[in-house]
Amino acid sequence: MALLNILTIPDNRLKTVAKPIEQVTDNIKKLASDMLDTMYAAPGIGLAATQVDQHVQLVVMDLSEEKNQPMVFINPKITARSGEQIHEEGCLSVPGIYADVKRAEEITLEYLDLNGQQQTLNADGLLAVCIQHEIDHLKGIVFLDHLSVLKRKMAIKKLTKAAETVPVKVD
Ligand code: K1U
Ligand code: ZN
């Protein structure tokens, strides 16, 4: 088991755009496994390679209660979206800050699995939210970028001021 360092804002490396993975090598499989370990330890329900300073299109997630349903998405691409939902989001790269973000309610995702096989997934609810959040990371976007300038500034101020303990929700 290997735990990776998670970058936090305002680290500029979080703004890097990730490159597609050309081949699912043993190195990519090891990175996916280390990212899952890191996500479970954080704890979180998702993690993008960007957040651990690896700039390839790789995302891991597990939304199950028992933390026994790991998902790995390689080169994930949203090919259809519909509807709208507002969900409270958090981010391991923006610790202690939570805010409501508007995203598509239903999406279709195309990706490669760990065997290099093309897959399609239809998702809604929290699964769709989390996928959109993680794909944003691969594009160098964090969820604060979806907020108004004022709310973003408030969040960053709160984060800097209170690198302390209590989680805060930005309304
Ligand atoms: O990308 C990340 O930083 C992970 C992030 C994913 C996410 C959460 C909520 C909405 C959208 C995307 C997190 O996992 S934050 C932590 C979190 O949500 C959580 C932690 C422990 C138990 C349950 C949830
Ligand atoms: Zn995040």
Side-chain angles (χ1 to χ4, degrees):
M1 165 159 162
L3 296 186
L4 308 171
N5 179 48
I6 299 177
L7 303 176
T8 54
I9 62 159
D11 195 313
N12 271 332
R13 289 172 290 181
L14 285 167
K15 295 187 174 158
T16 311
V17 177
K19 293 199 166 68
I21 290 171
E22 287 178 8
Q23 220 181 339
V24 185
T25 60
D26 286 348
N27 280 349
I28 292 295
K29 290 179 186 175
K30 168 85 165 72
L31 176 57
S33 169
D34 291 348
M35 283 172 58
L36 281 165
D37 291 341
T38 305
M39 178 193 75
Y40 288 129
I45 56 173
L47 192 67
T50 310
Q51 292 175 277
V52 293
D53 203 19
Q54 297 294 318
H55 302 289
V56 291
Q57 293 179 11
L58 174 61
V59 162
V60 298
M61 289 174 34
D62 189 340
L63 270 61
S64 68
E65 288 276 319
E66 301 78 13
K67 299 293 159 210
N68 59 1
Q69 289 171 39
M71 292 181 277
V72 177
F73 302 119
I74 295 166
N75 299 343
K77 189 166 186 249
I78 295 170
T79 54
R81 57 183 84 220
S82 62
E84 266 182 19
Q85 61 175 323
I86 294 176
H87 200 286
E88 184 179 283
E89 298 192 15
C91 181
L92 300 173
S93 296
V94 190
I97 301 285
Y98 299 86
D100 288 338
V101 178
K102 193 199 292 183
R103 299 202 186 262
E105 165 62 24
E106 291 178 292
I107 60 167
T108 302
L109 184 76
E110 297 200 350
Y111 64 98
L112 297 180
D113 64 19
L114 279 173
N115 297 315
Q117 298 297 307
Q118 189 76 37
Q119 304 287 350
T120 303
L121 173 74
N122 293 312
D124 61 7
L126 179 59
L127 180 57
V129 167
C130 198
I131 289 169
Q132 291 172 81
H133 178 114
E134 301 308 336
I135 289 180
D136 269 359
H137 276 303
L138 300 181
K139 296 175 177 169
I141 296 167
V142 294
F143 79 109
L144 295 183
D145 297 330
H146 288 280
L147 307 184
S148 67
V149 174
L150 186 64
K151 281 188 183 175
R152 185 159 64 240
K153 278 190 178 160
M154 275 169 55
I156 292 168
K157 197 170 164 194
K158 283 181 179 171
L159 187 64
T160 352
K161 200 168 147 197
E164 45 231 56
T165 48
V166 195
V168 282
K169 173 157 190 237
V170 187
D171 291 314

